[in-house]
Amino acid sequence: MWMTWGRAVRLLRGQRQLWRSLCLDRGDTSPGKPPWKVLFFGSDQFAVESLKVLSTSRKCDDSVVQCLEVVTLPGDVPVKRFALQDSLPLHPWPPDISPGQFDVGVVVSFGCLLPPKIINKFPFGILNVHPSLLPRWRGPAPIFHTVLQGDQLTGVTVMQIRPHRFDVGPILSQESYQIQTQVTADELGDILAVKGAQMLLDTLKNLCEKLRNKKEQSTTGATFAPKISTSLSWLVWEEQTTLQIDCLSRAIGSRIPLRTLWMGRTLKLLDYVGKCHSVVPDGSATLVPGSVFYLRESNILSVRCKDGWVGFRSVLLKKRLTAADFYNGYLHQNLKSCSGPSAHAVFVSGRTGQANHNNHLHKANLPTT
């Protein structure tokens, strides 16, 4: 049966609208394939890796990116430095852009919640590169919490941003990564930054297909990764195990030194060496958590925690001191003033330290080492 001209036009329009609905969340007049006009939102070093990959893509024969501009935060942040170095146009936050000026937005470690009025200006929405296997570790510090909790598996998720809440949008791409033993948060961040940048590029190459096949996040298994605060660095010797202190050091130690109290003063513990074995003579189990000894042969301070001993090569009091300097200048002097051969020093946990800072020397049925 022959169709009327009007019916044919309506059918064609319906087919075009169906294609758009499969590729997009809303109607659009964009061509629906690369190269894209991209507006990048980012701030820190993790974001720079994705920005580098997008910038390089502009210069390739099979370019995924036609136009690349950058939104970043005030101050001398890594993304701004790279954008200036690579001559990428910069926009202040919040950006003053027109609907359809860019095809798609990309957010990587930006730190600000994008309102609907910005999201709706991008025909293909806004993508986010997030360094965790969402819904685990939603929030601003997923890498730190991954290491802090001793996770053995992590990964990267490329998702589509939704308004009003962080990290809840549908997943376009997700890949796992087996965490290596003793990796630090900084090292893991470098690995996931490279992985995330390549996943982002692949997602943009196949954006319409990825959007058609996107899936909602699981309603179970969600955890939150808040910003790391300095309060987390206080050690609680009687509660934390050697494994927990090890994870804490690898998670935050390069940025926030671990801390304890000694004679009522804050002591920063530096150059963590891990779990110590056979640090004192037999009977060490009777020593209270926080007990500290100087081990001359290895030149470390060994401190008792809940289930064992951990070591540090240096401390920061008024200035940075090696373990030997701290022992000779402080620990040894105080031990000489305390009667009894079994006296030894005790570091006090931050949580209880203000009430008990005078208990910095303790007598036990052990000789000093």
Side-chain angles (χ1 to χ4, degrees), residues 134-146:
L134 290 172
R136 184 163 177 80
W137 300 132
R138 292 171 175 166
I143 295 173
F144 292 107
H145 287 275
T146 294

Side-chain angles (χ1 to χ4, degrees), residues 297-315:
E297 288 186 3
S298 52
N299 192 24
I300 64 172
L301 294 172
S302 181
V303 190
R304 182 163 182 80
C305 60
K306 182 179 180 179
D307 67 344
W309 297 82
V310 291
F312 302 87
R313 294 197 182 279
S314 59
V315 299

